[in-house]
Amino acid sequence: MQIDEGQPSRTSGPSAALYPALLSVILLGALFAAQGRIGFDPADEGFQWYGSVRTAHGGVPLRDFYSYDPGRYLWAAAWASGLGDGILALRLSTAIFAVGGLFLGLLAARRALTGWVGLALAAVVLGLWMFPRHKLFEPAISMAAVFVALRLLEKPSQRRHFAAGMTVGLAIFLGKNHGLYLFLVFLVLILFLHFRIERGPLGKWLLAWGTGIAAGLAPLGIMMVLVPGFFRSYIGSILFFLAQGKTNNPLPVPWPWRVAYADLSLLEDLHGLALGLGFLLLPLFCILAVGFAAGTTRANLGSRAPLLAAGCVALFYMHHAFSRADAPHLGQSIHPVLLGLLVLPYAVGNEPRRAAIVLKAGIAVLVAFLTVFAALPESPLVRKLARERGGERYLPSEVAGDRLLLPPEVAQLLSGVTRTVSTRLSPAEPLLILPYTPGLYPVLGRESPVWDTYLTWPAKGGSDEKMVAQIREKQVRWALIGDYNMDGRGDFGFRVTHPALAEYLNRQFASVQAPDLPQHFVLMKSK
C-alpha cells in the first residue's frame, strides 16, 4: 500500500534531506557554542560523565559500575578516542547524537510544513526543548521513532517493518525504557494498520518486525556473549527495578492550578504556569490523537499519518514524563507532542480557511508560550544571564582540563574538594565519594572504590552490605560525604535510604577538619 502518491517531491530524496540536516547541525552547533562551557552538575551530569570515562578506559557499564544501559556510554567512549574524556568532549558527543534525532524529527515535520521558514522555526522550538544536555538521547530517540513510525504508516512494507524492529532493538541498547515504549508503539501501529486500514500480511509483518528487533539487539547480544559477567549484571539491572517497584523517584505533578502564584515573581509564575500546561498538554494531545485514529480510514491516512505517528509515540512517552514530573523529564518527553502540534493543521485541512488560520495561530501562540517560559529558563545560558542580572557572576574554572564558567557555589565546591583531596591523599589512595556527586570522581581524576556511585535508590536486597564489603576489600580510609537531602524531602536522605552503610561509616570513620569544603560536605577518615 502506498499512501499519498501526490506528495510533493520535497518530502523525499537526498536534496529534500539537505535543509533539515543543515538546520539540525547549525542549530545544535550554535547552542553548543553558546552554552557548552556554562555550568556543571556534579550529580546527574556527573553520573553520566563518570560512566563515560570508565567506559572509555575499559570499564563495562552495569558490570563494573552502576549506570544506565551501555549504548550511550559506548557512544561517548567511541568519541572520546578522538575528543578526549573531558566534560566538553562528552557534551559534544551527546550533541552529535542529538543532531541525528533532530534531523529525523524535522524530516517527519516536513511532511506538513511547506516553507523553509516554517521548518526553521520548528527546528528552533524542538532544539530549545532538548534539555537537559546530558539527556539528549531521550528526545533524539523519540523524534527518530516518530519518523520511523510515519514511514511505516505511509508504506507498511516488510522492509519498513524491519526498520521499525531495528529501532526497537537499538533503543533497548540505549535504554530499557525506550525499548519498551517503542515496542508498544510499533506493536500498536502494526495492529492498527492491519485491522483498521487494510488486511495486510500480518504474519509477514510481525516476522519482519521481530527480525529487525533481533538485528537491533545484536550489539547487546554480542556483549552478553563476549563480555564476562555482563549478562548477569544486565539481568540484575532488570531485577533491581522490579524489586524497587518503580522506574524513578516520583515527584508531584506541577499542574498549573498548583502554582503558588501569590508567593512568586511574575517570571516564576509564568514558568510554573507554562510547566504545568506542558504536563497538561501531554494527555490532552494523546486523547486528541486517539480521536483522530478512531476516524482514520485508508482514504484519509495520508494527511493524518504524521499526527498519528507523533501521537502514538507521545502516548507511551507520557510514562517517562510523569515518572518524575519535573522540567527535565518534560524536556525529555515532549518532542512527539510538539511534532504532533506542528503537523495538526495538516491533518485537519485548510477548509474552512478562517478556521485553519485560527488553528495555526493558536498552535503558534501555545508553542511559543511554552517554549519561552518553560524551556528557555532551563537553558544554561539563560540561567547564567538571569543570575548575573541579580548580581552573581559566574566564575571561570578549570574542570579536568576544560575551561568552564560555573555558578559560584559549584566553583567553590570543586575548588574546595580539589584542594582538600590533593593536600591529604596520594593519587593512588582510594577515596569514597557519597552520596549524590559522582561527577567529583572525574573532576579529581579518580575511580570509585564501590560499584554504586549515586545513591538515589533505597538499599534493598543486601546492597548496603555489598557496599560495605567493597569498602573493606579496597581498604578505603578516606570518605567525602555530601549528606544533603536531594529533593528537600525528609524521606530521601542518605541515612534514611542506606541505614546500614551510614551506620558503618559513623562507626568506622571520624570527621576530619577540612575548612575548604562547603558546609554540607564532610571529610572522614577511618579510625
Side-chain angles (χ1 to χ4, degrees):
M1 178 182 67
Q2 177 70 51
I3 299 298
D4 246 8
E5 295 288 353
Q7 195 75 288
S9 60
R10 62 181 174 82
T11 63
S12 60
S15 61
L18 179 60
Y19 183 54
L22 289 175
L23 278 176
S24 303
V25 172
I26 292 171
L27 177 65
L28 293 185
L31 288 174
F32 179 81
Q35 58 189 19
R37 293 183 180 272
I38 298 175
F40 172 60
D41 173 19
D44 276 354
E45 186 178 30
F47 179 67
Q48 184 202 16
W49 186 22
Y50 176 75
S52 300
V53 171
R54 284 291 310 274
T55 305
H57 291 270
V60 178
L62 295 178
R63 187 194 70 178
D64 296 337
F65 55 92
Y66 173 47
S67 70
Y68 300 119
D69 288 284
R72 65 188 69 202
Y73 298 101
L74 292 173
W75 171 269
W79 286 94
S81 61
L83 300 175
D85 59 9
I87 188 63
L88 285 181
L90 175 62
R91 289 173 179 174
L92 179 57
S93 68
T94 307
I96 292 171
F97 189 95
V99 166
L102 180 58
F103 167 64
L104 294 178
L106 291 177
L107 286 182
R110 202 159 200 258
R111 297 295 199 272
L113 300 178
T114 56
W116 285 27
V117 174
L119 197 64
L121 292 175
V124 170
V125 168
L126 295 169
L128 291 177
W129 272 99
M130 297 186 80
F131 65 85
R133 59 188 161 200
H134 59 282
K135 287 293 188 73
L136 299 186
F137 291 91
E138 277 66 20
I141 294 170
S142 68
M143 285 191 284
V146 171
F147 176 71
V148 175
L150 171 58
R151 285 175 55 82
L152 184 66
L153 287 170
E154 289 177 335
K155 185 180 179 181
S157 64
Q158 287 181 246
R159 178 178 295 179
R160 294 190 179 185
H161 279 83
F162 179 84
M166 277 204 69
T167 305
V168 175
L170 291 172
I172 294 173
F173 191 49
L174 292 161
K176 300 179 190 70
N177 57 333
H178 293 289
L180 177 59
Y181 300 152
L182 298 192
F183 178 88
L184 295 173
V185 164
F186 290 114
L187 178 61
V188 167
L189 290 178
I190 291 170
L191 296 178
F192 171 79
L193 282 167
H194 178 73
F195 291 106
R196 181 70 184 179
I197 305 304
E198 68 169 26
R199 294 281 177 172
L202 182 60
K204 292 183 178 179
W205 286 355
L206 292 175
L207 178 60
W209 183 54
T211 304
I213 293 175
L217 282 172
L220 186 63
I222 291 172
M223 287 189 67
M224 288 181 174
V225 172
L226 298 182
V227 179
F230 177 74
F231 176 77
R232 181 177 179 180
S233 300
Y234 188 84
I235 298 301
S237 70
I238 297 175
L239 297 177
F240 171 83
F241 284 104
L242 292 177
Q244 294 289 341
K246 55 186 178 181
T247 59
N248 214 323
N249 293 295
L251 291 172
V253 180
W255 299 118
W257 52 85
R258 286 185 172 177
V259 179
Y261 295 104
D263 302 328
L264 303 174
S265 68
L266 177 60
L267 286 178
E268 289 173 324
D269 286 346
L270 291 172
H271 178 60
L273 175 61
L275 187 62
L277 287 176
F279 276 100
L280 184 61
L281 182 62
L282 299 182
L284 291 180
F285 172 76
C286 290
I287 293 171
L288 175 69
V290 169
F292 270 87
T296 298
T297 63
R298 182 172 181 175
N300 61 16
L301 177 60
S303 61
R304 295 187 176 193
L307 175 64
L308 298 183
C312 195
V313 176
L315 179 64
F316 293 100
Y317 269 82
M318 268 202 305
H319 172 268
H320 189 70
F322 286 100
S323 67
R324 184 171 174 82
D326 56 11
H329 282 80
L330 181 63
Q332 296 169 46
S333 311
I334 199 173
H335 287 78
V337 175
L338 295 173
L339 284 171
L341 290 176
L342 292 172
V343 303
L344 178 58
Y346 181 64
V348 173
N350 290 320
E351 297 297 336
R353 183 173 178 81
R354 181 173 297 178
I357 293 174
V358 171
L359 175 62
K360 292 178 181 178
I363 291 174
V365 170
L366 174 61
V367 171
F369 178 80
L370 294 178
T371 302
V372 170
F373 293 108
L376 273 181
E378 301 298 322
S379 160
L381 177 60
V382 172
R383 286 183 173 180
K384 174 179 178 291
L385 294 175
R387 291 186 64 171
E388 290 186 343
R389 189 178 296 115
E392 287 188 80
R393 302 292 298 179
Y394 274 42
L395 303 177
S397 305
E398 184 170 312
V399 180
D402 289 325
R403 296 290 292 176
L404 304 181
L405 288 172
L406 302 180
E409 68 278 6
V410 177
Q412 292 163 10
L413 167 64
L414 300 190
S415 62
V417 166
T418 301
R419 285 195 301 269
T420 299
V421 172
S422 63
T423 57
R424 287 172 172 82
L425 282 75
S426 68
E429 183 82 12
L431 173 65
L432 177 67
I433 301 175
L434 296 175
Y436 310 127
T437 51
L440 293 180
Y441 283 117
V443 168
L444 298 169
R446 292 175 176 271
E447 184 177 307
S448 171
V450 297
W451 180 83
D452 191 351
T453 60
Y454 199 23
L455 307 186
T456 56
W457 291 98
K460 289 187 177 180
S463 58
D464 262 12
E465 288 73 14
K466 292 178 183 177
M467 188 174 295
V468 169
Q470 291 170 345
I471 293 172
R472 288 172 171 166
E473 179 185 352
K474 295 294 179 66
Q475 298 180 351
V476 176
R477 299 174 54 246
W478 293 92
L480 182 64
I481 310 298
D483 195 9
Y484 57 91
N485 192 320
M486 197 170 85
D487 282 338
R489 292 158 46 195
D491 61 347
F492 199 75
F494 164 54
R495 289 179 174 81
V496 174
T497 59
H498 293 75
L501 175 61
E503 193 276 333
Y504 171 80
L505 292 174
N506 287 333
R507 188 178 67 250
Q508 298 295 332
F509 286 70
S511 60
V512 176
Q513 283 192 342
D516 290 328
L517 292 179
Q519 288 184 352
H520 58 277
F521 272 81
V522 60
L523 182 66
M524 304 183 75
K525 186 178 181 181
S526 62
K527 297 177 181 177

